Amino acid sequence: MTPHNELRLLPWSGPDGKPCFLSTDTSDGPVSRLADYTETTQLAVGTELLEHAQKVLIDETSDLEELRLLASDLAGALRDALRVATSRGHRLPATPAHEGDDEGPRLPAAAFC
């Protein structure tokens, strides 16, 4: 649940392009649910766009106009994904710092394969 004293970055911008925020005591209200649904949709669209991009980039007959449109669409999907990541990152619980732990968690190399 989002604490009431913190604002949630919403996955859309206002009419002037500025970020929108939500202040609420609950994470299951109608605007929160709409934001969750929108984030899920944005990430799914980004996944589909990435699959399309891989096909377009392999196709040697793709013209410059198609590549420009693809780049524009990918930039929009990346913007959306970064906004989702920022919003979700702000809602993670703070973890206590451990004395002498300057590097963060250590994972085995196999965790990255």
Side-chain angles (χ1 to χ4, degrees), residues 37-51 77:
Y37 176 79
T38 302
E39 287 179 352
T40 299
T41 301
Q42 288 172 329
L43 294 176
V45 167
T47 299
E48 291 176 13
L49 183 58
L50 179 58
E51 291 171 7

Side-chain angles (χ1 to χ4, degrees), residues 9-31:
L9 175 63
L10 295 172
W12 54 78
S13 298
D16 55 357
K18 293 183 180 177
C20 291
F21 295 91
L22 173 65
S23 176
T24 182
D25 290 337
T26 178
S27 61
D28 63 349
V31 177

Side-chain angles (χ1 to χ4, degrees), residues 38-98:
T38 302
E39 287 179 352
T40 299
T41 301
Q42 288 172 329
L43 294 176
V45 167
T47 299
E48 291 176 13
L49 183 58
L50 179 58
E51 291 171 7
H52 174 69
Q54 291 168 330
K55 292 174 186 173
V56 169
L57 293 172
I58 290 172
D59 183 0
E60 294 179 10
T61 64
S62 298
D63 64 8
L64 186 57
E65 184 176 331
E66 184 174 16
L67 292 171
R68 284 187 178 145
L69 177 60
L70 176 61
S72 176
D73 290 345
L74 286 170
L78 178 58
R79 180 199 63 235
D80 292 343
L82 290 173
R83 184 184 303 253
V84 169
T86 299
S87 178
R88 291 182 180 181
H90 286 193
R91 290 181 278 144
L92 290 175
T95 55
H98 299 289

